[in-house]
Amino acid sequence: MDIVEKLKLEIAMLEACNEDLLVAIGVHNQRGEYHLSAECMRKIKKTTYKIKRLKAHLQDQQNFMWVIKDLQDRGLLSEVVKNYVEMAR
């Protein structure tokens, strides 16, 4: 499984977690357990921030893969790698 698929899977997992937390908030509110609702909201906020970061990382990875494919299609990838290795020395 490549990095893009792993990122997509983790994003889907976190989004499902947020949906479960929303259901839990409704249950806690019905029971009058507002402190538990507040805790769920904090978790949703934290998870939402992580989802945004992962989506940005996913976009970067997809763009990087597009650049690599474009360089391969034009036959320039080996030249770019060779220049990079020479610069790193």
Tab-separated table of all heavy atoms in Angstrom, residues 30-50:
chain	number	residue	atom	x	y	z
A	30	GLN	N	-28.918	14.420	25.492
A	30	GLN	CA	-30.213	13.888	25.943
A	30	GLN	C	-30.169	13.482	27.410
A	30	GLN	O	-31.142	13.633	28.133
A	30	GLN	CB	-30.609	12.681	25.094
A	30	GLN	CG	-31.085	13.035	23.708
A	30	GLN	CD	-31.426	11.803	22.897
A	30	GLN	OE1	-31.084	10.677	23.274
A	30	GLN	NE2	-32.090	12.011	21.772
A	31	ARG	N	-29.035	12.986	27.833
A	31	ARG	CA	-28.881	12.544	29.222
A	31	ARG	C	-28.491	13.685	30.163
A	31	ARG	O	-28.411	13.482	31.371
A	31	ARG	CB	-27.811	11.459	29.309
A	31	ARG	CG	-28.173	10.182	28.605
A	31	ARG	CD	-27.059	9.179	28.749
A	31	ARG	NE	-27.370	7.943	28.046
A	31	ARG	CZ	-26.504	6.974	27.861
A	31	ARG	NH1	-25.279	7.068	28.326
A	31	ARG	NH2	-26.857	5.897	27.219
A	32	GLY	N	-28.198	14.831	29.599
A	32	GLY	CA	-27.801	15.963	30.427
A	32	GLY	C	-26.340	15.913	30.849
A	32	GLY	O	-25.928	16.624	31.768
A	33	GLU	N	-25.545	15.120	30.174
A	33	GLU	CA	-24.119	14.990	30.491
A	33	GLU	C	-23.327	15.968	29.623
A	33	GLU	O	-22.595	15.582	28.715
A	33	GLU	CB	-23.662	13.552	30.245
A	33	GLU	CG	-24.427	12.538	31.072
A	33	GLU	CD	-24.199	11.107	30.619
A	33	GLU	OE1	-23.836	10.878	29.447
A	33	GLU	OE2	-24.421	10.204	31.437
A	34	TYR	N	-23.474	17.240	29.948
A	34	TYR	CA	-22.913	18.279	29.088
A	34	TYR	C	-21.389	18.318	29.133
A	34	TYR	O	-20.744	18.695	28.153
A	34	TYR	CB	-23.505	19.633	29.463
A	34	TYR	CG	-25.011	19.635	29.321
A	34	TYR	CD1	-25.830	19.746	30.426
A	34	TYR	CD2	-25.603	19.462	28.072
A	34	TYR	CE1	-27.209	19.718	30.298
A	34	TYR	CE2	-26.974	19.433	27.929
A	34	TYR	CZ	-27.778	19.567	29.047
A	34	TYR	OH	-29.132	19.521	28.914
A	35	HIS	N	-20.801	17.906	30.252
A	35	HIS	CA	-19.344	17.877	30.321
A	35	HIS	C	-18.778	16.831	29.361
A	35	HIS	O	-17.718	17.031	28.766
A	35	HIS	CB	-18.878	17.611	31.759
A	35	HIS	CG	-19.266	16.269	32.287
A	35	HIS	ND1	-20.561	15.948	32.645
A	35	HIS	CD2	-18.529	15.160	32.512
A	35	HIS	CE1	-20.609	14.696	33.066
A	35	HIS	NE2	-19.379	14.194	33.003
A	36	LEU	N	-19.504	15.740	29.169
A	36	LEU	CA	-19.060	14.724	28.209
A	36	LEU	C	-19.258	15.205	26.771
A	36	LEU	O	-18.445	14.903	25.892
A	36	LEU	CB	-19.804	13.412	28.443
A	36	LEU	CG	-19.507	12.716	29.777
A	36	LEU	CD1	-20.392	11.485	29.941
A	36	LEU	CD2	-18.044	12.341	29.874
A	37	SER	N	-20.311	15.986	26.544
A	37	SER	CA	-20.518	16.587	25.222
A	37	SER	C	-19.379	17.532	24.882
A	37	SER	O	-18.879	17.548	23.747
A	37	SER	CB	-21.845	17.350	25.174
A	37	SER	OG	-22.924	16.479	25.264
A	38	ALA	N	-18.972	18.317	25.878
A	38	ALA	CA	-17.870	19.261	25.664
A	38	ALA	C	-16.576	18.517	25.351
A	38	ALA	O	-15.789	18.944	24.498
A	38	ALA	CB	-17.696	20.152	26.888
A	39	GLU	N	-16.367	17.396	26.022
A	39	GLU	CA	-15.165	16.595	25.763
A	39	GLU	C	-15.188	16.047	24.334
A	39	GLU	O	-14.174	16.043	23.640
A	39	GLU	CB	-15.069	15.444	26.767
A	39	GLU	CG	-13.869	14.561	26.584
A	39	GLU	CD	-12.549	15.267	26.784
A	39	GLU	OE1	-12.491	16.227	27.579
A	39	GLU	OE2	-11.564	14.872	26.139
A	40	CYS	N	-16.349	15.598	23.890
A	40	CYS	CA	-16.483	15.118	22.509
A	40	CYS	C	-16.199	16.239	21.512
A	40	CYS	O	-15.559	16.016	20.489
A	40	CYS	CB	-17.873	14.538	22.276
A	40	CYS	SG	-18.172	12.970	23.110
A	41	MET	N	-16.664	17.436	21.822
A	41	MET	CA	-16.409	18.579	20.931
A	41	MET	C	-14.921	18.882	20.849
A	41	MET	O	-14.400	19.209	19.776
A	41	MET	CB	-17.177	19.812	21.397
A	41	MET	CG	-18.653	19.769	21.092
A	41	MET	SD	-19.012	19.512	19.334
A	41	MET	CE	-18.262	20.948	18.614
A	42	ARG	N	-14.220	18.789	21.969
A	42	ARG	CA	-12.768	19.003	21.945
A	42	ARG	C	-12.087	17.954	21.067
A	42	ARG	O	-11.167	18.266	20.298
A	42	ARG	CB	-12.207	18.975	23.363
A	42	ARG	CG	-12.443	20.247	24.142
A	42	ARG	CD	-11.659	20.277	25.446
A	42	ARG	NE	-12.184	19.346	26.442
A	42	ARG	CZ	-13.212	19.600	27.236
A	42	ARG	NH1	-13.842	20.770	27.161
A	42	ARG	NH2	-13.620	18.708	28.114
A	43	LYS	N	-12.550	16.720	21.167
A	43	LYS	CA	-11.974	15.654	20.347
A	43	LYS	C	-12.261	15.887	18.866
A	43	LYS	O	-11.399	15.646	18.016
A	43	LYS	CB	-12.512	14.296	20.792
A	43	LYS	CG	-11.972	13.855	22.128
A	43	LYS	CD	-12.549	12.518	22.541
A	43	LYS	CE	-12.044	12.108	23.914
A	43	LYS	NZ	-12.606	10.817	24.342
A	44	ILE	N	-13.478	16.362	18.561
A	44	ILE	CA	-13.824	16.650	17.163
A	44	ILE	C	-12.935	17.762	16.621
A	44	ILE	O	-12.439	17.683	15.495
A	44	ILE	CB	-15.317	17.012	17.027
A	44	ILE	CG1	-16.171	15.764	17.206
A	44	ILE	CG2	-15.610	17.683	15.688
A	44	ILE	CD1	-17.664	16.028	17.247
A	45	LYS	N	-12.731	18.796	17.420
A	45	LYS	CA	-11.883	19.908	16.984
A	45	LYS	C	-10.455	19.429	16.705
A	45	LYS	O	-9.869	19.773	15.679
A	45	LYS	CB	-11.874	20.999	18.049
A	45	LYS	CG	-11.126	22.236	17.645
A	45	LYS	CD	-11.223	23.314	18.701
A	45	LYS	CE	-10.439	24.544	18.280
A	45	LYS	NZ	-10.504	25.589	19.288
A	46	LYS	N	-9.924	18.617	17.589
A	46	LYS	CA	-8.571	18.084	17.431
A	46	LYS	C	-8.485	17.196	16.183
A	46	LYS	O	-7.543	17.293	15.395
A	46	LYS	CB	-8.190	17.292	18.681
A	46	LYS	CG	-6.800	16.752	18.684
A	46	LYS	CD	-6.511	16.019	19.983
A	46	LYS	CE	-5.141	15.379	19.969
A	46	LYS	NZ	-4.867	14.628	21.198
A	47	THR	N	-9.474	16.342	16.008
A	47	THR	CA	-9.486	15.433	14.862
A	47	THR	C	-9.657	16.188	13.553
A	47	THR	O	-9.021	15.860	12.556
A	47	THR	CB	-10.612	14.392	15.029
A	47	THR	OG1	-10.468	13.749	16.295
A	47	THR	CG2	-10.568	13.353	13.940
A	48	THR	N	-10.495	17.221	13.564
A	48	THR	CA	-10.702	18.019	12.355
A	48	THR	C	-9.411	18.706	11.930
A	48	THR	O	-9.082	18.764	10.736
A	48	THR	CB	-11.816	19.058	12.583
A	48	THR	OG1	-13.015	18.354	12.941
A	48	THR	CG2	-12.071	19.880	11.343
A	49	TYR	N	-8.657	19.212	12.892
A	49	TYR	CA	-7.373	19.831	12.592
A	49	TYR	C	-6.425	18.801	11.970
A	49	TYR	O	-5.745	19.090	10.978
A	49	TYR	CB	-6.760	20.419	13.870
A	49	TYR	CG	-5.378	20.959	13.669
A	49	TYR	CD1	-5.163	22.153	12.991
A	49	TYR	CD2	-4.272	20.277	14.162
A	49	TYR	CE1	-3.888	22.645	12.803
A	49	TYR	CE2	-2.994	20.762	13.980
A	49	TYR	CZ	-2.803	21.949	13.302
A	49	TYR	OH	-1.530	22.424	13.107
A	50	LYS	N	-6.413	17.590	12.520
A	50	LYS	CA	-5.549	16.537	11.994
A	50	LYS	C	-5.975	16.144	10.581
A	50	LYS	O	-5.131	15.909	9.714
A	50	LYS	CB	-5.572	15.319	12.913
A	50	LYS	CG	-4.558	14.281	12.544
A	50	LYS	CD	-4.442	13.198	13.593
A	50	LYS	CE	-3.347	12.216	13.199
A	50	LYS	NZ	-3.161	11.170	14.188
